[in-house]
Amino acid sequence: MAEEQKLMRKGEEAEADIRGDVLESILCHVPLIHLLPASHVSKSWNHAVFSSLSHFNKPKPWLLVHSQSSRPPYATTALAYDPRSNLWLRIHQKPPIEYVSALRSSNSTLLYMLSLSKFSFSVDPLHLTWHHVDPPLVWRTDPIVAMVGRHIIVAGGSCDFEDDPLSVEIYDLDSRKWETCESMPAILKESAASMWLSVAANTKKLYAMEQVSGVTYSFDPSSRIWSGPFDLRHDQSNYFSVIGISGDSLIMVALLGNSDDVKDVKVWEVKGESFELCKEIGLMPKELVEKLKGEQTILSSIKISLMEDVLYIYNPEEPEELVVCDFNGKGVCWWGSLKNEAVSDRSRVAERMVLTRADVGFGDIGKAVGSRKGSFSILNEGILQ
């Protein structure tokens, strides 16, 4: 007992040596996942941890890279890049994700798998909790899927033997029931699949854009009405586009020129009821365009992952480098590239890779560790250039 009291006194003396602004400035350099045990040292340390997160080095949205093996038992692994700490982390999921079908996402926090017998999805930031429900009434192989408010919208992508290739169904998270509604616009009949459409969603609407033509429609799950078409291809040399959501704006990233000769990669901010307000906010530096192409001589498509004001752009055929675009209301502040730690020679052939973004806060880490559903380990520092 005397020895324990002596150790406690030593801890209190050490705590007295480091406190206030000095402690907070030190904690701002500590990785987010290591702040959890630091917050339990004492009340003053707990206050310093939260003060540091509020004023010195605030949490930033994580980029999560999910890799699913193409061989039985189709194991899934997850890495995360924390830009606040500039660290790649390995997320240890307990239990591992149950295989249902190919793992998919749609440039959002929604992760899902769809089979003939089950629709499985996860919406929590770290994807540690999965929900398993009956599949949509119409069998689909490659639909667009997005979460709008408390609804998950599944549209198009149906098999050839189905009567309506443009059918739309909505899963209500509260009633836990599927509802059918107005089909997708007829003009999308030949492109009503995630292979051909880029999808973005906020809390009120879903946006679907043909990646080649730029023709865009919006869907309101409350009114069950499709609106459009809107033409987002403001530059006629645009041969491929994708969209995402940042705040109240639609963000469009486009390849200009042709797949054999990419002239530019541009970023636009699009606003207005009919998307009539379009402002160019970024032009990718030439050296990053070359990194995006990788070892290939052509660049036929890109994918993006966007949350708040940070945009990751990558080539699905050469995903080793992620081009990073950090912007605000005045335009792009910074361009760079980040090495994708999830990519290896083996993973390029044997694994399916899906990216999601999430606001991972201190509470999410505490909940994961406390529930024992997840734990974290540092892989290495991010290589930003």
Side-chain angles (χ1 to χ4, degrees):
M1 180 66 71
E3 189 64 27
E4 289 181 4
Q5 290 176 345
K6 187 184 296 184
L7 289 172
M8 288 179 65
R9 282 198 300 272
K10 286 183 178 180
E12 290 170 357
E13 291 169 2
E15 181 186 341
D17 291 337
I18 307 175
R19 59 174 59 219
D21 293 343
V22 175
L23 179 58
E24 291 177 15
S25 62
I26 292 173
L27 291 173
C28 77
H29 297 288
V30 176
L32 191 63
I33 59 171
H34 290 163
L35 287 177
L36 184 63
S39 69
H40 295 151
V41 171
S42 67
K43 287 185 178 180
S44 62
W45 275 59
N46 182 274
H47 173 78
V49 165
F50 282 94
S51 181
S52 174
L53 290 172
S54 299
H55 302 107
F56 286 91
N57 193 359
K58 298 179 180 180
K60 298 176 181 178
W62 285 17
L63 174 71
L64 285 83
V65 184
H66 312 268
S67 301
Q68 184 185 54
S69 174
S70 59
R71 302 187 181 98
Y74 308 104
T76 300
T77 58
L79 300 184
Y81 175 67
D82 174 11
R84 174 194 175 274
S85 309
N86 188 31
L87 290 174
W88 279 97
L89 311 170
R90 188 177 300 280
I91 303 176
H92 306 277
Q93 298 163 312
K94 301 174 184 178
I97 296 175
E98 175 190 343
Y99 175 77
V100 174
S101 65
L103 194 65
R104 299 175 184 268
S105 183
S106 54
N107 181 29
S108 68
T109 58
L110 174 67
L111 202 59
Y112 65 94
M113 293 179 281
L114 176 62
S115 71
L116 273 169
S117 60
K118 189 184 296 184
F119 177 58
S120 299
F121 63 92
S122 175
V123 296
D124 63 285
L126 295 169
H127 301 294
L128 300 177
T129 301
W130 282 79
H131 308 272
H132 307 284
V133 302
D134 290 336
L137 299 176
V138 174
W139 168 231
R140 309 162 190 273
T141 55
D142 187 28
I144 60 172
V145 180
M147 184 170 175
V148 180
R150 297 288 296 170
H151 302 93
I152 295 178
I153 301 167
V154 180
S158 59
C159 294
D160 293 337
F161 57 78
E162 294 287 353
D163 294 333
D164 184 6
L166 298 169
S167 64
V168 178
E169 293 176 70
I170 299 177
Y171 182 77
D172 189 307
L173 294 177
D174 296 319
S175 67
R176 300 182 182 181
K177 294 180 179 179
W178 288 99
E179 298 178 26
T180 57
C181 54
E182 180 184 348
S183 297
M184 300 175 74
I187 195 173
L188 297 177
K189 184 176 182 179
E190 301 302 321
S191 59
S194 66
M195 178 183 293
W196 310 111
L197 295 175
S198 179
V199 178
N202 56 25
T203 57
K204 296 181 179 179
K205 290 184 179 181
L206 171 147
Y207 303 92
M209 179 184 71
E210 281 191 338
Q211 296 169 336
V212 175
S213 70
V215 173
T216 303
Y217 285 85
S218 66
F219 178 72
D220 184 338
S222 298
S223 64
R224 307 292 201 265
I225 294 176
W226 288 88
S227 301
F230 311 105
D231 186 5
L232 298 191
R233 195 170 62 171
H234 297 277
D235 190 321
Q236 294 306 306
S237 64
N238 173 354
Y239 70 92
F240 187 90
S241 305
V242 287
I243 53 175
I245 292 288
S246 176
D248 297 327
S249 301
L250 198 64
I251 301 297
M252 180 175 68
V253 185
L255 303 178
L256 278 62
N258 58 68
S259 59
D260 294 316
D261 183 18
V262 184
K263 299 297 184 184
D264 287 306
V265 179
K266 291 186 177 182
V267 182
W268 281 275
E269 179 184 30
V270 188
K271 290 183 176 182
E273 285 296 319
S274 302
F275 304 115
E276 67 277 7
L277 303 175
C278 183
K279 179 177 70 173
E280 182 182 322
I281 60 173
L283 174 65
M284 186 181 295
K286 296 294 184 182
E287 62 271 19
L288 293 182
V289 176
E290 292 303 312
K291 280 194 173 186
L292 199 61
K293 289 165 64 175
E295 298 178 358
Q296 296 189 344
T297 58
I298 64 172
L299 182 60
S300 57
S301 68
I302 54 173
K303 290 188 176 182
I304 65 171
S305 187
L306 169 65
M307 179 171 278
E308 294 182 4
D309 294 338
V310 180
L311 169 68
Y312 294 87
I313 308 168
Y314 65 102
N315 177 356
E317 301 298 323
E318 298 276 350
E320 290 88 346
E321 291 285 341
L322 303 167
V323 175
V324 188
C325 173
D326 194 336
F327 60 92
N328 59 23
K330 298 179 181 179
V332 171
C333 297
W334 180 81
W335 283 97
S337 67
L338 174 68
K339 181 177 173 58
N340 185 355
E341 289 296 330
V343 175
S344 64
D345 291 338
R346 184 185 71 84
S347 67
R348 290 183 61 182
V349 177
E351 293 183 347
R352 178 185 186 88
M353 193 171 297
V354 178
L355 274 64
T356 60
R357 296 292 306 284
D359 271 319
V360 178
F362 196 63
D364 297 306
I365 293 174
K367 186 177 180 180
V369 173
S371 66
R372 298 187 178 183
K373 288 185 176 181
S375 59
F376 310 88
S377 59
I378 294 177
L379 196 61
N380 56 42
E381 288 189 358
I383 303 177
L384 274 169
Q385 298 177 339

